[in-house]
Amino acid sequence: MVFDRLLARALATIVRRGTLRVTTEAGQILRAGDGGQPEVAVRLVGEGATRTLVLDPELALGELFMDGRLLVEQGTLMEFLQLLLQDSHAERSKLPIPTTATLRSIAWRLAGRNDARLSKANVAHHYDLSSTLYDLFLDRHRQYSCAYFEHGDGPLDDAQRAKQRHIAAKLFVQPGNSVLEIGSGWGGLAVYLARHAGAGRVRGITLSEEQLAASRRLAVREGLAPRVAFELEDYRATAGTFDRIVSVGMFEHVGPKDYPAFFESCARLMAEDGVMLLHTIGRTGEPGYTNPWIRKYIFPGGHLPTMTEMMPAIERSGLMVTDVEVLRLHYAETLKAWRERFMARRDEAMRLYDERFCRMWEFYLSLCEAAFRWEDVVVFQIQLGRRNDVLPITRDYIGEREAALRASELAAMPVAAE
């Protein structure tokens, strides 16, 4: 019963609005909240479920849901996460036993670097899953990063195309420019930069063999293979000089101890009049360790940077920050679309994997959406250069370039092989 009491005390501190009812495996009913909406009821199942949750809630919550030992009996999983996170302010001191978080924080500070071997293994864990799985919920361009909702809503495909357009505009690509994409995904952005932004040569590097094969097929299918090439390569091994460098959704896998190596590599690879755009998930609060469930099951080696973690490494590399934009809630809306698409085709995912995997994926998409809605998680777009006279002195060029890119997209629509 001691764990029931500890859980009840923690819930009373964390859940301030809405209504939460938790039934422990012993049958005790715990209540928290102010009686308002949403109303959520969950049940813990199996011997030791409450103890497991109390001892390490950051890890156990997802594991219990995956194993069918945490059942949502009223409301939805998203509403349950809302009750837990909307007033928590990401304060780990509110956990039932904060000592676990303290020990995890110490371990995070002592952790080693993500060398090339470990980085490849971490990437393979997530990105070398079946491409069919990603086709269940991604847009037609297979963009697996934050979309850009120009008008606050709209179809996912439109928002992902707008993201490509927004990034290309900030890169300020000149006709014939060479572009390096660090972490090239399934190749959609590289193809966009060559087809619409005027890039003369695009080199995409990835550590995922599954994505590499798909990217190369895309370049051939689009008739761009001579100009758009992809390699299985770590950024530390890349050679050459590039007019433009872009990295979208990759920096989260670098790790704080390798930030100097990352930005030094970018400085080494960038032309004197070069421009770089770094698009990364980050946090607006203080530095801290990644959610342990996400790190164990979804993104091993992952870390969400704060500005204070990135800036010293950028400054020491010799690069200068020329623009910063913080995308708020765009990723929450992206994840909502992904979650709804995945759940609508959950039966197809079951044929690929199993029930536990599908519950894991649902929890992953839901937890990440909740973090972007109610915690301090955002997306940073940081523009970098070597000189301060390469880009226009006002941001008007971004909108102007987006308009030109939109016109290029419309002109190509009748012949685009999409």
Side-chain angles (χ1 to χ4, degrees), residues 86-202:
Q86 65 183 352
D87 295 314
S88 72
H89 306 295
E91 294 178 12
R92 285 164 166 153
S93 61
K94 294 181 179 179
L95 297 175
I97 303 177
T99 305
T100 304
T102 301
L103 293 174
R104 191 164 275 136
S105 181
I106 294 172
W108 165 69
R109 294 181 184 282
L110 296 176
R113 298 178 58 188
N114 279 335
D115 59 21
R117 179 194 60 78
L118 183 58
S119 294
K120 188 175 188 305
N122 290 341
V123 166
H125 176 89
H126 190 89
Y127 296 99
D128 283 348
L129 295 172
S130 169
S131 293
T132 305
L133 168 69
Y134 293 102
D135 286 337
L136 297 181
F137 64 94
L138 295 183
D139 63 296
R140 69 180 182 273
H141 305 292
R142 218 186 251 181
Q143 296 292 289
Y144 194 30
S145 56
C146 176
Y148 185 60
F149 291 85
E150 294 176 294
H151 309 293
D153 57 9
L156 177 65
D157 284 78
D158 292 351
Q160 289 290 18
R161 181 58 102 190
K163 183 265 297 296
Q164 293 177 324
R165 191 184 307 130
H166 197 54
I167 288 172
K170 288 185 176 184
L171 281 172
F172 201 62
V173 178
Q174 303 300 307
N177 274 172
S178 59
V179 181
L180 171 66
E181 184 181 7
I182 303 175
S184 49
W186 284 279
L189 180 59
V191 165
Y192 184 89
L193 293 173
R195 182 178 296 283
H196 298 293
R201 174 175 60 92
V202 183

Side-chain angles (χ1 to χ4, degrees), residues 353-372:
Y353 295 100
D354 57 20
E355 175 65 21
R356 189 171 189 266
F357 179 92
C358 290
R359 292 178 70 86
M360 176 184 75
W361 213 256
E362 179 186 357
F363 192 82
Y364 151 54
L365 296 174
S366 300
L367 180 64
C368 289
E369 179 186 343
F372 278 97

Side-chain angles (χ1 to χ4, degrees), residues 146-368:
C146 176
Y148 185 60
F149 291 85
E150 294 176 294
H151 309 293
D153 57 9
L156 177 65
D157 284 78
D158 292 351
Q160 289 290 18
R161 181 58 102 190
K163 183 265 297 296
Q164 293 177 324
R165 191 184 307 130
H166 197 54
I167 288 172
K170 288 185 176 184
L171 281 172
F172 201 62
V173 178
Q174 303 300 307
N177 274 172
S178 59
V179 181
L180 171 66
E181 184 181 7
I182 303 175
S184 49
W186 284 279
L189 180 59
V191 165
Y192 184 89
L193 293 173
R195 182 178 296 283
H196 298 293
R201 174 175 60 92
V202 183
R203 178 185 177 90
I205 61 173
T206 179
L207 294 179
S208 166
E209 297 185 17
E210 184 78 16
Q211 289 183 331
L212 175 68
S215 298
R216 287 176 168 172
R217 289 194 298 269
L218 176 65
V220 171
R221 190 164 68 247
E222 294 288 335
L224 294 168
R227 294 168 51 205
V228 180
F230 299 94
E231 301 296 337
L232 192 71
E233 185 173 84
D234 187 275
Y235 65 89
R236 286 161 285 208
T238 301
T241 301
F242 299 87
D243 302 305
R244 300 292 184 263
I245 301 175
V246 62
S247 184
V248 179
M250 174 272 178
F251 191 73
E252 301 90 328
H253 304 281
V254 172
K257 293 186 178 179
D258 286 286
Y259 291 170
F262 178 85
F263 289 111
E264 286 165 9
S265 295
C266 292
R268 170 176 56 83
L269 295 164
M270 185 187 293
E272 179 63 26
D273 58 351
V275 177
M276 176 177 177
L277 196 284
L278 176 66
H279 171 118
T280 180
I281 301 171
R283 295 177 53 238
T284 58
E286 296 181 358
Y289 62 83
T290 303
N291 176 278
W293 185 87
I294 290 289
R295 191 175 175 92
K296 179 176 180 179
Y297 290 98
I298 308 299
F299 295 118
H303 176 74
L304 304 185
T306 64
M307 294 294 285
T308 57
E309 290 177 292
M310 291 185 284
M311 286 305 167
I314 292 173
E315 292 164 358
R316 286 194 294 268
S317 73
L319 297 174
M320 64 170 59
V321 176
T322 52
D323 189 80
V324 177
E325 183 176 8
V326 181
L327 302 183
R328 299 165 293 102
L329 295 178
H330 289 265
Y331 220 150
E333 293 303 313
T334 305
L335 285 153
K336 178 184 178 183
W338 288 347
R339 175 174 55 82
E340 290 175 346
R341 285 166 166 244
F342 176 79
M343 296 304 291
R345 303 180 69 179
R346 192 179 190 276
D347 290 346
E348 295 176 62
M350 274 286 291
R351 291 195 287 271
L352 291 172
Y353 295 100
D354 57 20
E355 175 65 21
R356 189 171 189 266
F357 179 92
C358 290
R359 292 178 70 86
M360 176 184 75
W361 213 256
E362 179 186 357
F363 192 82
Y364 151 54
L365 296 174
S366 300
L367 180 64
C368 289

Side-chain angles (χ1 to χ4, degrees), residues 13 29 42 46 59 74 119 137 225 237 261 293 295 332 351 353 355 374 400 410:
T13 301
I29 298 178
V42 302
L59 178 61
Q74 180 181 346
S119 294
F137 64 94
W293 185 87
R295 191 175 175 92
R351 291 195 287 271
Y353 295 100
E355 175 65 21
W374 296 297
E400 293 166 359
L410 291 172

Side-chain angles (χ1 to χ4, degrees), residues 29-92:
I29 298 178
L30 313 177
R31 302 179 189 275
D34 62 2
Q37 296 294 325
E39 292 188 40
V40 178
V42 302
R43 180 180 296 273
L44 296 170
V45 178
E47 183 179 355
T50 304
R51 179 182 68 248
T52 300
L53 182 60
V54 167
L55 290 176
D56 193 357
E58 291 184 291
L59 178 61
L61 189 69
E63 290 186 332
L64 290 170
F65 184 82
M66 287 167 57
D67 295 335
R69 299 179 65 200
L70 189 153
L71 305 176
V72 181
E73 298 183 319
Q74 180 181 346
T76 65
L77 175 60
M78 271 304 302
E79 289 173 332
F80 176 48
L81 294 172
Q82 176 183 348
L83 294 181
L84 295 179
L85 298 181
Q86 65 183 352
D87 295 314
S88 72
H89 306 295
E91 294 178 12
R92 285 164 166 153

